[in-house]
mmCIF file of all heavy atoms in Angstrom:
data_model
loop_
_atom_site.group_PDB
_atom_site.id
_atom_site.type_symbol
_atom_site.label_atom_id
_atom_site.label_comp_id
_atom_site.label_asym_id
_atom_site.label_seq_id
_atom_site.Cartn_x
_atom_site.Cartn_y
_atom_site.Cartn_z
ATOM 1 N N ASN A 384 5.167 7.272 23.568
ATOM 2 C CA ASN A 384 4.689 8.375 24.459
ATOM 3 C C ASN A 384 3.247 8.212 24.756
ATOM 4 O O ASN A 384 2.901 8.595 25.819
ATOM 5 C CB ASN A 384 4.969 9.721 23.758
ATOM 6 C CG ASN A 384 6.395 10.045 23.780
ATOM 7 O OD1 ASN A 384 7.194 9.356 24.515
ATOM 8 N ND2 ASN A 384 6.888 11.100 23.088
ATOM 9 N N SER A 385 2.482 7.710 23.848
ATOM 10 C CA SER A 385 1.045 7.508 24.197
ATOM 11 C C SER A 385 0.833 6.405 25.242
ATOM 12 O O SER A 385 -0.008 6.620 26.139
ATOM 13 C CB SER A 385 0.266 7.246 22.879
ATOM 14 O OG SER A 385 -0.317 6.023 22.872
ATOM 15 N N ARG A 386 1.667 5.358 25.130
ATOM 16 C CA ARG A 386 1.653 4.295 26.183
ATOM 17 C C ARG A 386 2.016 4.865 27.548
ATOM 18 O O ARG A 386 1.332 4.648 28.594
ATOM 19 C CB ARG A 386 2.571 3.170 25.821
ATOM 20 C CG ARG A 386 2.640 2.153 26.920
ATOM 21 C CD ARG A 386 3.698 0.966 26.571
ATOM 22 N NE ARG A 386 3.237 0.132 25.504
ATOM 23 C CZ ARG A 386 3.653 0.128 24.319
ATOM 24 N NH1 ARG A 386 4.617 0.941 23.940
ATOM 25 N NH2 ARG A 386 3.208 -0.729 23.425
ATOM 26 N N LYS A 387 3.164 5.662 27.549
ATOM 27 C CA LYS A 387 3.585 6.188 28.846
ATOM 28 C C LYS A 387 2.619 7.144 29.440
ATOM 29 O O LYS A 387 2.378 7.204 30.624
ATOM 30 C CB LYS A 387 4.958 6.923 28.581
ATOM 31 C CG LYS A 387 6.050 5.914 28.541
ATOM 32 C CD LYS A 387 7.436 6.319 28.547
ATOM 33 C CE LYS A 387 8.088 7.557 28.484
ATOM 34 N NZ LYS A 387 9.456 7.728 28.111
ATOM 35 N N SER A 388 1.983 7.957 28.579
ATOM 36 C CA SER A 388 1.065 8.988 29.003
ATOM 37 C C SER A 388 -0.234 8.286 29.617
ATOM 38 O O SER A 388 -0.685 8.656 30.661
ATOM 39 C CB SER A 388 0.763 9.975 27.900
ATOM 40 O OG SER A 388 -0.532 10.281 27.849
ATOM 41 N N ALA A 389 -0.665 7.207 29.014
ATOM 42 C CA ALA A 389 -1.811 6.464 29.535
ATOM 43 C C ALA A 389 -1.444 5.839 30.870
ATOM 44 O O ALA A 389 -2.251 5.897 31.836
ATOM 45 C CB ALA A 389 -2.249 5.382 28.505
ATOM 46 N N ALA A 390 -0.234 5.259 30.964
ATOM 47 C CA ALA A 390 0.209 4.563 32.223
ATOM 48 C C ALA A 390 0.353 5.546 33.330
ATOM 49 O O ALA A 390 0.090 5.275 34.523
ATOM 50 C CB ALA A 390 1.462 3.804 31.967
ATOM 51 N N SER A 391 0.793 6.769 33.015
ATOM 52 C CA SER A 391 1.093 7.716 34.043
ATOM 53 C C SER A 391 -0.185 8.235 34.779
ATOM 54 O O SER A 391 -0.096 8.854 35.847
ATOM 55 C CB SER A 391 1.784 8.961 33.483
ATOM 56 O OG SER A 391 0.884 9.718 32.694
ATOM 57 N N LEU A 392 -1.363 8.014 34.179
ATOM 58 C CA LEU A 392 -2.542 8.405 34.803
ATOM 59 C C LEU A 392 -3.038 7.441 35.897
ATOM 60 O O LEU A 392 -3.916 7.765 36.706
ATOM 61 C CB LEU A 392 -3.687 8.604 33.740
ATOM 62 C CG LEU A 392 -3.379 9.586 32.579
ATOM 63 C CD1 LEU A 392 -4.406 9.554 31.507
ATOM 64 C CD2 LEU A 392 -3.238 10.941 33.173
ATOM 65 N N LEU A 393 -2.437 6.259 35.967
ATOM 66 C CA LEU A 393 -2.834 5.257 36.884
ATOM 67 C C LEU A 393 -2.235 5.554 38.300
ATOM 68 O O LEU A 393 -1.179 6.104 38.389
ATOM 69 C CB LEU A 393 -2.418 3.889 36.445
ATOM 70 C CG LEU A 393 -2.989 3.325 35.127
ATOM 71 C CD1 LEU A 393 -2.224 2.063 34.617
ATOM 72 C CD2 LEU A 393 -4.477 2.963 35.403
ATOM 73 N N PRO A 394 -2.996 5.149 39.348
ATOM 74 C CA PRO A 394 -2.408 5.321 40.697
ATOM 75 C C PRO A 394 -1.169 4.489 40.849
ATOM 76 O O PRO A 394 -1.057 3.399 40.245
ATOM 77 C CB PRO A 394 -3.499 4.829 41.665
ATOM 78 C CG PRO A 394 -4.533 4.139 40.794
ATOM 79 C CD PRO A 394 -4.274 4.555 39.401
ATOM 80 N N PRO A 395 -0.135 4.944 41.617
ATOM 81 C CA PRO A 395 1.126 4.167 41.700
ATOM 82 C C PRO A 395 0.892 2.793 42.393
ATOM 83 O O PRO A 395 -0.027 2.641 43.252
ATOM 84 C CB PRO A 395 2.004 5.030 42.670
ATOM 85 C CG PRO A 395 1.134 6.233 43.055
ATOM 86 C CD PRO A 395 -0.144 6.202 42.366
ATOM 87 N N ILE A 396 1.610 1.755 41.928
ATOM 88 C CA ILE A 396 1.487 0.450 42.459
ATOM 89 C C ILE A 396 2.604 0.242 43.490
ATOM 90 O O ILE A 396 3.767 0.541 43.179
ATOM 91 C CB ILE A 396 1.587 -0.581 41.334
ATOM 92 C CG1 ILE A 396 0.487 -0.405 40.385
ATOM 93 C CG2 ILE A 396 1.611 -2.012 41.941
ATOM 94 C CD1 ILE A 396 0.499 -1.406 39.213
ATOM 95 N N THR A 397 2.277 -0.214 44.649
ATOM 96 C CA THR A 397 3.294 -0.382 45.750
ATOM 97 C C THR A 397 3.474 -1.785 46.076
ATOM 98 O O THR A 397 4.297 -2.191 46.956
ATOM 99 C CB THR A 397 2.863 0.448 46.909
ATOM 100 O OG1 THR A 397 1.537 0.029 47.269
ATOM 101 C CG2 THR A 397 2.981 1.891 46.718
ATOM 102 N N THR A 398 2.741 -2.688 45.439
ATOM 103 C CA THR A 398 2.689 -4.060 45.937
ATOM 104 C C THR A 398 3.590 -5.013 45.119
ATOM 105 O O THR A 398 3.649 -6.211 45.377
ATOM 106 C CB THR A 398 1.196 -4.633 45.798
ATOM 107 O OG1 THR A 398 0.761 -4.331 44.422
ATOM 108 C CG2 THR A 398 0.324 -3.946 46.799
ATOM 109 N N LEU A 399 4.265 -4.568 44.078
ATOM 110 C CA LEU A 399 5.008 -5.470 43.227
ATOM 111 C C LEU A 399 6.358 -5.854 43.909
ATOM 112 O O LEU A 399 6.993 -5.013 44.574
ATOM 113 C CB LEU A 399 5.319 -4.778 41.873
ATOM 114 C CG LEU A 399 4.173 -4.584 40.965
ATOM 115 C CD1 LEU A 399 4.609 -3.892 39.648
ATOM 116 C CD2 LEU A 399 3.581 -5.974 40.567
ATOM 117 N N PRO A 400 6.769 -7.097 43.680
ATOM 118 C CA PRO A 400 8.068 -7.496 44.219
ATOM 119 C C PRO A 400 9.148 -6.695 43.504
ATOM 120 O O PRO A 400 8.968 -6.361 42.314
ATOM 121 C CB PRO A 400 8.135 -8.997 43.835
ATOM 122 C CG PRO A 400 7.105 -9.259 42.848
ATOM 123 C CD PRO A 400 6.088 -8.193 42.968
ATOM 124 N N PRO A 401 10.275 -6.418 44.186
ATOM 125 C CA PRO A 401 11.326 -5.479 43.630
ATOM 126 C C PRO A 401 11.897 -6.010 42.340
ATOM 127 O O PRO A 401 12.333 -5.209 41.508
ATOM 128 C CB PRO A 401 12.388 -5.463 44.695
ATOM 129 C CG PRO A 401 11.950 -6.237 45.817
ATOM 130 C CD PRO A 401 10.575 -6.796 45.574
ATOM 131 N N THR A 402 11.858 -7.346 42.055
ATOM 132 C CA THR A 402 12.464 -7.847 40.850
ATOM 133 C C THR A 402 11.659 -7.449 39.582
ATOM 134 O O THR A 402 12.090 -7.707 38.499
ATOM 135 C CB THR A 402 12.524 -9.418 40.949
ATOM 136 O OG1 THR A 402 11.256 -9.951 41.321
ATOM 137 C CG2 THR A 402 13.619 -9.857 41.891
ATOM 138 N N MET A 403 10.491 -6.990 39.854
ATOM 139 C CA MET A 403 9.599 -6.640 38.662
ATOM 140 C C MET A 403 9.802 -5.214 38.201
ATOM 141 O O MET A 403 9.249 -4.785 37.139
ATOM 142 C CB MET A 403 8.168 -6.817 38.950
ATOM 143 C CG MET A 403 7.803 -8.356 38.973
ATOM 144 S SD MET A 403 6.004 -8.563 39.189
ATOM 145 C CE MET A 403 5.267 -7.822 37.738
ATOM 146 N N ILE A 404 10.523 -4.422 38.935
ATOM 147 C CA ILE A 404 10.669 -2.985 38.491
ATOM 148 C C ILE A 404 12.151 -2.564 38.504
ATOM 149 O O ILE A 404 13.006 -3.236 39.193
ATOM 150 C CB ILE A 404 9.934 -1.999 39.400
ATOM 151 C CG1 ILE A 404 10.163 -2.357 40.907
ATOM 152 C CG2 ILE A 404 8.364 -2.040 39.182
ATOM 153 C CD1 ILE A 404 9.600 -1.297 41.811
ATOM 154 N N LEU A 405 12.545 -1.592 37.765
ATOM 155 C CA LEU A 405 13.857 -1.121 37.597
ATOM 156 C C LEU A 405 14.304 -0.514 38.879
ATOM 157 O O LEU A 405 13.605 0.441 39.430
ATOM 158 C CB LEU A 405 13.968 -0.147 36.449
ATOM 159 C CG LEU A 405 15.311 0.180 35.819
ATOM 160 C CD1 LEU A 405 15.955 -1.082 35.188
ATOM 161 C CD2 LEU A 405 15.183 1.210 34.756
ATOM 162 N N PRO A 406 15.435 -0.916 39.533
ATOM 163 C CA PRO A 406 15.789 -0.332 40.791
ATOM 164 C C PRO A 406 16.307 1.145 40.542
ATOM 165 O O PRO A 406 16.813 1.443 39.459
ATOM 166 C CB PRO A 406 16.944 -1.212 41.264
ATOM 167 C CG PRO A 406 17.472 -1.921 40.053
ATOM 168 C CD PRO A 406 16.332 -1.989 39.085
ATOM 169 N N LYS A 407 16.156 1.939 41.582
ATOM 170 C CA LYS A 407 16.675 3.325 41.494
ATOM 171 C C LYS A 407 18.236 3.138 41.595
ATOM 172 O O LYS A 407 18.734 2.378 42.326
ATOM 173 C CB LYS A 407 16.181 4.143 42.618
ATOM 174 C CG LYS A 407 14.695 4.382 42.685
ATOM 175 C CD LYS A 407 14.429 5.890 42.739
ATOM 176 C CE LYS A 407 12.967 6.263 42.754
ATOM 177 N NZ LYS A 407 12.099 5.512 41.838
ATOM 178 N N SER A 408 19.017 3.931 40.831
ATOM 179 C CA SER A 408 20.363 3.844 40.851
ATOM 180 C C SER A 408 20.919 4.481 42.075
ATOM 181 O O SER A 408 20.340 5.472 42.581
ATOM 182 C CB SER A 408 21.039 4.435 39.604
ATOM 183 O OG SER A 408 20.658 5.713 39.563
ATOM 184 N N ASN A 409 22.083 3.965 42.611
ATOM 185 C CA ASN A 409 22.621 4.604 43.874
ATOM 186 C C ASN A 409 23.948 5.267 43.660
ATOM 187 O O ASN A 409 24.517 5.138 42.526
ATOM 188 C CB ASN A 409 22.633 3.626 45.035
ATOM 189 C CG ASN A 409 23.305 2.319 44.570
ATOM 190 O OD1 ASN A 409 24.140 2.363 43.684
ATOM 191 N ND2 ASN A 409 22.768 1.206 45.106
#
Side-chain angles (χ1 to χ4, degrees):
N384 284 350
S385 115
R386 174 185 287 108
K387 279 190 356 199
S388 139
S391 71
L392 302 174
L393 294 168
I396 297 177
T397 51
T398 51
L399 288 178
T402 50
M403 282 184 67
I404 50 174
L405 200 61
K407 296 234 177 321
S408 58
N409 46 34

